Amino acid sequence: MVSENIEQKVDEPTEPLKTFTLKILQVIKDAQLQHGLRHGDYQRYRSYCARRLRRLRKSLHFVHGSKHKFQAKKVTTENLKDVRYLHIPLFMAERAWSYSQQLKQESNTEHRKKFHFISKLRKAHAHANDLKELCESSKCDALTNLEAQAYAASMTGLLKFELKDWNPALEYLKKAQAIYQKLAETLTEDESGLYLQRVGEYTATISYCQYNIGDENAMNDLVQLRASGKAYEDEMISMLISQTREKQASTLSEITWMGRTVQVRQEKVRVFLINAKESEKEIESASDIDGKISIYERLLMDCKDALQILNDELKASETKHREGPLSSLAFLHNYITYIKYTKTIDRYLLLIEVLKQNTSISANKKPTKPQDLIRPYEIVIQSLGEILQLSGIDPNSGMKEEIEAKIQAYKAYKCYYIAQTLASANKPLETMAMYQRASSYVTQAANSKSLSAQLKDKLKKLEAEIELNKYSSCANNILGKNKIQDSTVKLEGDKKTLINRLETYYEDPKLPNQPNLAPFPPDFIPIPCKPLFFDLAINHIDFPSLEDKVKQKSTGITGYLSWLATPWKK
């Protein structure tokens, strides 16, 4: 009998083991974007994680003890009966991580919070490892296991990175990047985008670790990442690049400009000059115009700081306005100012190029109007004029002739866009005058030998457009009045109904098919309200006198006696 029962138990079919699937990266990315991290609000995201954990424990009846006694409960493989149990260690790690990032922001002003920040990051690392151990069990599928491994490796790598333990940080971050890369290759295009984005986020941090380990090529990678605008930790990369430039600036001791060589003793000025040289390579390697413009903006901010240092020294030495040859400090100040104006011109020329490309409504942007291009050209012309006013410029050099030719060329562009603005405002006479002035500027600039061939080709195209628009404006001036009257009549005819324009002749082609005879339903017409009745006869009635009815009030003893004589009234 015993053997038969054993055989029956063996023959009974066992229930298939249920496996859980949790897309960790998708869950945390959705939660982060919806609850504060879109704007960098880590405190809001931490509060959300705390509320989410409380709801999970309530719904799973997995709370820490009762009201009177606390008894911590930890998720293990034995009580893993629902996929929601995996959310508990995940959001515990996210809560600790978001708190650490909040403290990291606050530690810039309060240095004691740095220790608290590291301890919270350790907690996030511990909870991520707990999640990885749960996902390694047979109750979770392979995708969940790989995502948990990548998540735990990234948390460990970030902890080692903050502790400046570069070799382990590089190892764990590369491991997480490799897992996400493999997942992106195996999934569909719609699902792989999120994993590829995470791979790109780790690129800058990995290059930073490689540089600190001693890899010289890592600096070039960081510069290219910042130029492309894809850097994850832009402040960290900028600080590292500035530190490297400071080391390079120690070798720069003098500059040569306009045939004169001066010493550079200020360290920040030397760093700026190194940045100005390296920025040319960064601009060439930048993938889009927005990246180039951001490089120019950073360089102009550094230029402002360098000029402030030189201004302070010039005020202290009182040699800025001294007559005679320029001192070395004043000459260096003029050279930095020259760099400032040239980079400003290059930046605004890029902005003009962006505006010219934006000719149609796209990406929620308004199309560029001609008046939008006038102000950038004014700034370019003004900057070129300021360069001519610098005392370090040699009047006999070819630079002065080249700058004057550029001024004439950009004035031609400015007048051209002013003419287009006037043409859109139906001012043909003023438009023709501005086109004529733009044509004269083009002729003056084209006659200069110092102008570049590229700018001359652009001026030829501009001249052809000016001639075409000039004749068009002249024709509009001749036929303008009749055209305006016809368009006015047509516009009024389109809007008015037939009953309202009986005295005006207008051939309406829509009249046979879609007659616009009268407004329907008819408009409301004001009517008088219900009249009010006034008693007008009251002013013509004579009422009887009531003086005898009114008793006079007597005073003294007579009044008292009359009161006694008055009979009592009930």
Side-chain angles (χ1 to χ4, degrees), residues 11 16 50 55 70 127 150 287 303 373 377-379 389 396 459 517 519 556:
D11 293 337
R55 290 196 299 268
F70 176 82
H127 291 309
S287 57
C303 183
L373 292 162
Y377 276 114
E378 283 182 355
I379 295 174
Q389 299 298 323
N396 298 325
L459 287 177
L517 304 178

Side-chain angles (χ1 to χ4, degrees), residues 96 150 356 361 424 504 551:
K356 287 182 179 179
I361 299 176
S424 61
T504 303
K551 293 183 179 181

Side-chain angles (χ1 to χ4, degrees), residues 159-207:
L159 175 62
K160 298 296 182 181
F161 181 84
E162 296 297 339
L163 295 173
K164 297 183 180 181
D165 198 355
W166 307 117
N167 286 311
L170 180 62
E171 179 184 351
Y172 283 107
L173 290 174
K174 277 190 173 182
K175 179 182 177 181
Q177 192 182 44
I179 294 174
Y180 285 129
Q181 184 69 41
K182 291 295 182 182
L183 289 173
E185 293 174 359
T186 55
L187 298 174
T188 60
E189 293 183 1
D190 298 335
E191 297 176 343
S192 62
L194 190 62
Y195 296 99
L196 291 175
Q197 181 184 358
R198 179 55 70 96
V199 169
E201 289 176 358
Y202 291 145
T203 305
T205 313
I206 288 172
S207 299

Side-chain angles (χ1 to χ4, degrees), residues 215-251:
D215 189 357
E216 297 179 356
N217 297 325
M219 177 53 62
N220 297 328
D221 298 336
L222 290 172
V223 172
Q224 291 178 1
L225 281 171
R226 190 177 71 168
S228 61
K230 297 179 181 179
Y232 177 58
E233 295 284 349
D234 190 55
E235 295 181 358
M236 174 190 68
I237 293 174
S238 299
M239 181 180 66
L240 177 61
I241 292 174
S242 62
Q243 290 175 359
T244 308
R245 298 273 169 84
E246 287 177 1
K247 295 178 182 177
Q248 296 175 356
S250 60
T251 60

Side-chain angles (χ1 to χ4, degrees), residues 195-324:
Y195 296 99
L196 291 175
Q197 181 184 358
R198 179 55 70 96
V199 169
E201 289 176 358
Y202 291 145
T203 305
T205 313
I206 288 172
S207 299
Y208 190 89
C209 294
Q210 290 174 343
Y211 175 79
N212 284 284
I213 290 171
D215 189 357
E216 297 179 356
N217 297 325
M219 177 53 62
N220 297 328
D221 298 336
L222 290 172
V223 172
Q224 291 178 1
L225 281 171
R226 190 177 71 168
S228 61
K230 297 179 181 179
Y232 177 58
E233 295 284 349
D234 190 55
E235 295 181 358
M236 174 190 68
I237 293 174
S238 299
M239 181 180 66
L240 177 61
I241 292 174
S242 62
Q243 290 175 359
T244 308
R245 298 273 169 84
E246 287 177 1
K247 295 178 182 177
Q248 296 175 356
S250 60
T251 60
L252 180 67
S253 59
E254 59 185 19
I255 56 104
T256 302
W257 182 56
M258 302 300 295
R260 182 177 174 182
T261 303
V262 295
Q263 297 290 327
V264 183
R265 297 182 177 85
Q266 299 79 9
E267 184 177 356
K268 288 189 176 181
V269 177
R270 285 185 289 183
V271 172
F272 165 71
L273 293 174
I274 292 291
N275 288 335
K277 288 182 180 180
E278 297 294 332
S279 64
E280 298 176 0
K281 298 178 183 178
E282 294 182 23
I283 291 168
E284 291 177 358
S285 62
S287 57
D288 55 352
I289 295 179
D290 293 335
K292 295 179 181 179
I293 292 174
S294 63
I295 294 171
Y296 279 122
E297 289 175 351
R298 285 196 296 267
L299 187 62
L300 288 173
M301 292 298 294
D302 295 339
C303 183
K304 182 179 178 182
D305 297 337
L307 285 174
Q308 184 63 40
I309 293 170
L310 294 175
N311 281 327
D312 295 340
E313 292 192 9
L314 284 170
K315 288 180 182 178
S317 60
E318 297 181 357
T319 58
K320 189 174 182 179
H321 302 287
R322 190 180 64 182
E323 296 182 359

Side-chain angles (χ1 to χ4, degrees), residues 231-481:
Y232 177 58
E233 295 284 349
D234 190 55
E235 295 181 358
M236 174 190 68
I237 293 174
S238 299
M239 181 180 66
L240 177 61
I241 292 174
S242 62
Q243 290 175 359
T244 308
R245 298 273 169 84
E246 287 177 1
K247 295 178 182 177
Q248 296 175 356
S250 60
T251 60
L252 180 67
S253 59
E254 59 185 19
I255 56 104
T256 302
W257 182 56
M258 302 300 295
R260 182 177 174 182
T261 303
V262 295
Q263 297 290 327
V264 183
R265 297 182 177 85
Q266 299 79 9
E267 184 177 356
K268 288 189 176 181
V269 177
R270 285 185 289 183
V271 172
F272 165 71
L273 293 174
I274 292 291
N275 288 335
K277 288 182 180 180
E278 297 294 332
S279 64
E280 298 176 0
K281 298 178 183 178
E282 294 182 23
I283 291 168
E284 291 177 358
S285 62
S287 57
D288 55 352
I289 295 179
D290 293 335
K292 295 179 181 179
I293 292 174
S294 63
I295 294 171
Y296 279 122
E297 289 175 351
R298 285 196 296 267
L299 187 62
L300 288 173
M301 292 298 294
D302 295 339
C303 183
K304 182 179 178 182
D305 297 337
L307 285 174
Q308 184 63 40
I309 293 170
L310 294 175
N311 281 327
D312 295 340
E313 292 192 9
L314 284 170
K315 288 180 182 178
S317 60
E318 297 181 357
T319 58
K320 189 174 182 179
H321 302 287
R322 190 180 64 182
E323 296 182 359
L326 282 176
S327 64
S328 299
L329 198 59
F331 184 82
L332 182 60
H333 180 275
N334 287 344
Y335 175 61
I336 302 297
T337 308
Y338 168 76
I339 295 176
K340 170 189 171 183
Y341 287 130
T342 53
K343 298 303 178 183
T344 303
I345 292 168
D346 294 340
R347 176 179 177 271
Y348 273 96
L349 290 177
L350 281 175
L351 288 174
I352 289 169
E353 187 177 347
V354 173
L355 291 174
K356 287 182 179 179
Q357 291 176 358
N358 188 23
T359 55
S360 60
I361 299 176
S362 61
N364 298 326
K365 292 182 181 180
K366 295 182 179 179
T368 303
K369 297 179 181 179
Q371 55 265 31
D372 297 335
L373 292 162
I374 297 173
R375 180 59 182 166
Y377 276 114
E378 283 182 355
I379 295 174
V380 171
I381 295 167
Q382 183 180 359
S383 300
L384 288 170
E386 293 291 339
I387 292 175
L388 288 177
Q389 299 298 323
L390 293 176
S391 53
I393 300 294
D394 187 4
N396 298 325
S397 63
M399 182 185 292
K400 184 177 180 181
E401 296 180 1
E402 182 182 359
I403 292 173
E404 289 176 349
K406 285 183 178 180
I407 290 174
Q408 301 297 326
Y410 293 127
K411 280 184 177 180
Y413 277 102
K414 176 186 171 183
C415 293
Y416 171 73
Y417 287 110
I418 291 175
Q420 284 194 333
T421 305
L422 293 172
S424 61
N426 293 325
K427 296 181 179 180
L429 294 177
E430 292 86 347
T431 304
M432 290 175 61
M434 293 308 299
Y435 278 134
Q436 189 66 34
R437 181 175 294 183
S439 181
S440 64
Y441 282 135
V442 169
T443 305
Q444 294 176 15
N447 292 333
S448 177
K449 297 180 181 179
S450 58
L451 201 64
S452 63
Q454 184 180 3
L455 191 54
K456 282 185 178 180
D457 294 337
K458 291 182 179 180
L459 287 177
K460 287 181 181 179
K461 296 178 182 179
L462 179 63
E463 188 177 9
E465 293 179 3
I466 289 172
E467 291 297 324
L468 180 63
N469 291 327
K470 189 192 299 183
Y471 292 123
S472 176
S473 178
C474 183
N476 290 333
N477 185 27
I478 297 171
L479 303 174
K481 294 182 179 180

